[in-house]
Amino acid sequence: MSTQTSTPAPAGKTGFQLPKWAGSFGFQIIAALIVGLGLGLLAKYTGSTKTNPNALGATLQTIGSSYVSLLQTAVVPLIFTAVVSSISNLRAVSNAARLAWNTLLWFAITSLIAVLIGIGLGVLLQPGASTGISQEAKYSGKSGDWWAFLVGLFPKNFLGLGASTTVTDGVATTAVSFNVLQILVIAIAVGIAALKVGKAAEPFLNLNASALAVIQKVLWWIIRIAPLGTVGLIGNAVAVYGWDTIGSLGKFTVAIYIGLALVLFVVYPVLVRSHGLSIKQYFSGVWPAVQLAFVSRSSIGTLPLTQRVTERNLGVPRAYASFAVPLGATTKMDGCAAIYPAIAAIFVAQFFAIQLDFTQYLLIALVSVLGSAATAGTTGAVVMLTLTLSTLGLPLAGVGLLLAIDPILDMGRTAVNVAGQALIPAIVSKRQGILDESLYNAPRNGDPFSDDVVDDAAVVPSAAATGSTADRELVDAKA
């Protein structure tokens, strides 16, 4: 008599299950983009406008703005704790000064390449000619200039925070703002001071490392709901701007995205390949962060994910990545501070029929390479553009022409920014012989959250507190 044995179904595996790919972060973001696009078009063609949104438009606007607010809430503590930790972690890295110098050098090299591409496209495509737009646009917002940049380096208080109060109909409203550049200066000073103090600073560094772990955990929760935020952000952008606004500046929009595509899909792959690394592995490794950057339009908000893919996918040592990635998130902006201001400055000159000479083109390149840090403290590309226009003596009224489509352009700019922020640490690590190429070439599972199976609360704080590279590598291996 034959006997049959039945294998019980694994617990929790009964019933209908989604395919594995449907649960991946990348698929969720792409699905959210499609849903957001559809809902945005529906809202637009049912009468929703920026000033008078209908129910669907208002819902999309609320979801999108709420998600951005969640990201912004963690910006100040994240930058401070991440930069202090990154500087302190350089203790575990040999040749720390050489790594820092090479990082800044490659930031400048890639920015120069990007701005030269921007200048070439501006001259070739003539985006400011024959736009059919009137010259009545005005700009009265905040401008960038070198003196303001230098003065802005000096914090007005320990946290680099500011507050402004407005009174409307007898009701006073106070808004708190922060200056990322000042926070960066404060964090660098505190981190260097902690290194100089030595053993007496260990309790402070341990507390800072623990605080960073907590903040990053909260940010991970926020990033996990990115698909929901994506629906609101993309839907609102389509509902408010649609294709009409983009169409009036179509040649300029196309020029920007061609420049971004050339940097992301030509320049970066050439750099990757020239250093003996796989282009496919680079893109598959960095793509989760690029996707989130595209929809969130925030390099700082994407910082935890950028750092994770840089370490876990690209094989950059954690001690170095925790220095280079936060620094890049505030100063490495090939999209916002190189391609965009170059093409936009040429657009403004062509629009107002102003001839640029060779010296002014050199100034565009110089301002773009040296002025990236000036974008950290305010509104990013807009201030970088006003800084460029001011240096060249071009009309600031040109900024008003471009503000209407800035959110559409900012998605692509931020995606390129983040791709570069992960690329440079990988290149420098490869050149210095510290890149974990087995990790770089490892198969991808498409899920940046896969290592959350490790009990972070039990393992990660001890590794962060001790600063032990071996402990961190053990956590990575278990993950």
Side-chain angles (χ1 to χ4, degrees), residues 353-380:
I354 299 171
Q355 285 293 118
L356 297 178
D357 56 30
F358 182 72
T359 303
Q360 289 172 309
Y361 286 121
L362 285 180
L363 278 176
I364 292 176
L366 181 65
V367 172
S368 298
V369 173
L370 299 181
S372 297
T375 67
T378 46
T379 52

Side-chain angles (χ1 to χ4, degrees), residues 8 33 50 76 85 218 254 265 278 283 306 324 349 382 399:
L33 282 168
K50 183 176 183 179
V76 174
S85 284
V218 173
V254 168
F265 297 114
S278 166
F283 277 117
T306 308
V382 173
V399 180

Side-chain angles (χ1 to χ4, degrees), residues 226-475:
L228 179 60
T230 299
V231 172
L233 289 167
I234 297 299
N236 182 61
V238 173
V240 170
Y241 301 102
W243 306 115
D244 300 333
T245 306
I246 299 174
S248 62
L249 292 168
K251 191 182 289 187
F252 176 74
T253 305
V254 168
I256 293 293
Y257 269 93
I258 289 176
L260 295 173
L262 286 174
V263 171
L264 181 59
F265 297 114
V266 178
V267 175
Y268 289 171
V270 168
L271 291 174
V272 169
R273 193 60 188 162
S274 65
H275 285 85
L277 298 173
S278 166
I279 297 173
K280 177 184 176 182
Q281 288 297 101
Y282 165 70
F283 277 117
S284 63
V286 79
W287 203 248
V290 171
Q291 288 177 318
L292 180 61
F294 183 83
V295 297
S296 69
R297 296 167 49 205
S298 172
S299 294
I300 295 295
T302 314
L303 173 58
L305 185 54
T306 308
Q307 185 166 331
R308 175 163 289 194
V309 300
T310 303
E311 296 173 9
R312 309 293 173 86
N313 291 353
L314 301 187
V316 177
R318 178 170 297 186
Y320 170 52
S322 62
F323 163 76
V325 177
L327 180 64
T330 54
T331 59
K332 170 62 178 167
M333 302 184 184
D334 288 344
C336 290
I339 295 172
Y340 177 74
I343 297 178
I346 295 173
F347 168 90
V348 171
Q350 293 169 352
F351 183 84
F352 288 99
I354 299 171
Q355 285 293 118
L356 297 178
D357 56 30
F358 182 72
T359 303
Q360 289 172 309
Y361 286 121
L362 285 180
L363 278 176
I364 292 176
L366 181 65
V367 172
S368 298
V369 173
L370 299 181
S372 297
T375 67
T378 46
T379 52
V382 173
V383 169
M384 187 64 202
L385 176 55
T386 62
L387 177 63
T388 306
L389 296 180
S390 300
T391 303
L392 297 175
L394 295 175
L396 288 181
V399 180
L401 296 168
L402 305 177
L403 284 178
I405 59 169
D406 193 71
I408 302 297
L409 302 177
D410 199 32
M411 293 187 290
R413 292 189 312 234
T414 309
V416 171
N417 291 344
V418 166
Q421 290 158 15
L423 171 68
I424 299 305
I427 287 178
V428 173
S429 296
K430 172 65 174 178
R431 294 176 67 89
Q432 297 300 315
I434 59 174
L435 185 71
D436 186 344
E437 294 193 48
S438 62
L439 195 56
Y440 183 98
N441 293 315
R444 315 286 190 217
N445 62 10
D447 184 5
F449 306 101
S450 59
D451 61 348
D452 284 353
V453 297
V454 179
D455 184 1
D456 293 331
V459 180
V460 174
S462 62
T466 60
S468 168
T469 304
D471 287 345
R472 293 191 184 96
E473 291 175 348
L474 178 61
V475 174

Side-chain angles (χ1 to χ4, degrees), residues 74-86:
V75 165
V76 174
L78 174 65
I79 293 176
F80 181 84
T81 56
V83 173
V84 171
S85 284
S86 68

Side-chain angles (χ1 to χ4, degrees), residues 45-195:
Y45 291 111
T46 53
S48 182
T49 63
K50 183 176 183 179
T51 56
N52 188 27
N54 58 21
L56 178 57
T59 301
L60 293 171
Q61 189 178 64
T62 301
I63 293 173
S65 61
S66 298
Y67 183 72
V68 172
S69 296
L70 284 174
L71 287 174
Q72 291 176 338
T73 301
V75 165
V76 174
L78 174 65
I79 293 176
F80 181 84
T81 56
V83 173
V84 171
S85 284
S86 68
I87 293 175
S88 65
N89 285 340
L90 287 177
R91 296 172 300 173
V93 181
S94 59
N95 299 321
R98 182 188 300 176
L99 284 173
W101 162 249
N102 276 271
T103 302
L104 295 174
L105 178 62
W106 277 98
F107 280 1
I109 290 173
T110 50
S111 293
L112 179 60
I113 295 172
V115 75
L116 291 177
I117 289 175
I119 291 174
L121 288 172
V123 173
L124 179 65
L125 299 180
Q126 300 283 305
S130 304
T131 61
I133 307 174
S134 67
Q135 298 187 20
E136 298 177 357
K138 303 294 182 184
Y139 176 69
S140 58
K142 188 168 184 178
S143 300
D145 62 76
W146 290 108
W147 182 249
F149 166 60
L150 293 175
V151 172
L153 288 172
F154 299 95
K156 294 180 174 61
N157 55 68
F158 176 71
L159 296 176
L161 300 178
S164 60
T165 302
T166 57
V167 179
T168 305
D169 297 330
V171 179
T173 303
T174 301
V176 178
S177 60
F178 56 87
N179 187 309
V180 176
L181 187 58
Q182 291 182 3
I183 297 170
L184 184 64
V185 171
I186 293 168
I188 291 174
V190 171
I192 294 174
L195 287 181

